Amino acid sequence: MTDLIGFDAWVELAGDSPTSRTEWAAVVDAWGQPHRRYHDLAHLAAVLGIVGRLADAAGDPAAVRLAAWYHDVVYDPRRGDNEQVSAERARAGLRGLVPEERIEEVVRLVLLTAGHDAAPGDANGAVLCDADLAVLAGPPDAYAAYASAIREEYGHLSDAEFTAGRIAVLEHLLGLPTLFRLPAVAAGWTPRARANLTAELTLLRGRAAGAGGASGDAVPPPPAG
């Protein structure tokens, strides 16, 4: 994990300068905040690792890698605009370190992770979204650990509020035309992801029915990134 999120990896994208080192340290510090249970440094490293493996499919691999660094750099489970604020954080933090055109692509990609619905032909978006959602296609025990960590991050919500929000997220994901865009991973990942999502959704719907329904006022917990 250290190699993926260390300064040497960052230098390849943003250069070696005092400003760059300060920004890298601030980004790593943000990902290491104690309230994070899933959206933490391990998740950042995992996404960067998968982006690295899928990079050949991207039009601008450097922009995708930078977007991975920033896609959840701001993460507060109590607010619903984390992607927007993370995108603005990327724009401010990268100014003077990389070309403006790349910064704007990073911003676009970070915003895309709010819904993970990359348009057909959006190679950069496909790589980032597939990497961010890869956790959905893990073995059942790994998926269960992920879902449990998401619940911990939303510990301020009641079970009814969380259940309503999480059901909305799972229904959104299952309703996407395709969960994964890249042919290199879609065939293998999609059946496992849909099985995991369906199993969790069935469980939560059962809980909601048993509790007499759940409140729909909660901010939907993010699925992965």
Side-chain angles (χ1 to χ4, degrees):
M1 182 177 84
T2 303
D3 290 344
L4 292 167
I5 62 175
F7 186 58
D8 287 345
W10 174 267
V11 164
E12 295 177 4
L13 303 170
D16 187 355
S17 68
T19 301
S20 181
R21 182 174 287 276
T22 298
E23 177 62 6
W24 165 78
V27 169
V28 170
D29 183 67
W31 280 92
Q33 293 168 328
H35 69 274
R36 297 171 182 252
R37 292 294 181 270
Y38 172 72
H39 295 88
D40 56 9
L41 287 167
H43 172 61
L44 172 60
V47 172
L48 284 167
I50 296 171
V51 165
R53 295 199 297 274
L54 302 178
D56 288 346
D60 186 349
V64 181
R65 287 189 173 99
L66 283 167
W69 277 94
Y70 282 98
H71 79 284
D72 280 317
V73 68
V74 175
Y75 183 72
D76 180 354
R78 296 175 183 269
R79 62 189 301 163
D81 62 348
N82 286 304
E83 291 84 7
Q84 179 68 47
V85 183
S86 292
E88 292 306 318
R89 175 68 181 78
R91 177 179 279 120
L94 291 173
R95 187 169 293 120
L97 298 178
V98 301
E100 286 296 323
E101 182 178 351
R102 179 161 289 159
I103 291 175
E104 292 308 311
E105 178 63 356
V106 170
V107 168
R108 184 188 75 83
L109 291 169
V110 171
L111 291 173
L112 191 61
T113 63
H116 297 96
D117 192 10
D122 182 0
N124 291 339
V127 172
L128 181 63
C129 289
D130 282 5
D132 196 27
L133 293 182
V135 66
L136 304 181
D141 57 342
Y143 182 89
Y146 145 74
S148 177
I150 292 292
R151 180 65 183 102
E152 288 183 42
E153 288 183 335
Y154 283 80
H156 60 284
L157 296 181
S158 69
D159 286 341
E161 290 170 331
F162 177 82
T163 296
R166 185 65 177 167
I167 285 174
V169 167
L170 298 175
E171 289 177 338
H172 166 75
L173 288 170
L174 286 167
L176 291 174
T178 55
L179 273 173
F180 303 105
R181 298 285 182 178
L182 298 177
V185 301
W189 290 5
T190 299
R192 297 199 302 267
R194 289 196 176 278
N196 285 331
L197 292 167
T198 300
E200 185 185 2
L201 182 58
T202 300
L203 177 65
L204 292 178
R205 283 174 172 167
R207 289 178 181 172
S215 168
D217 299 328
V219 175

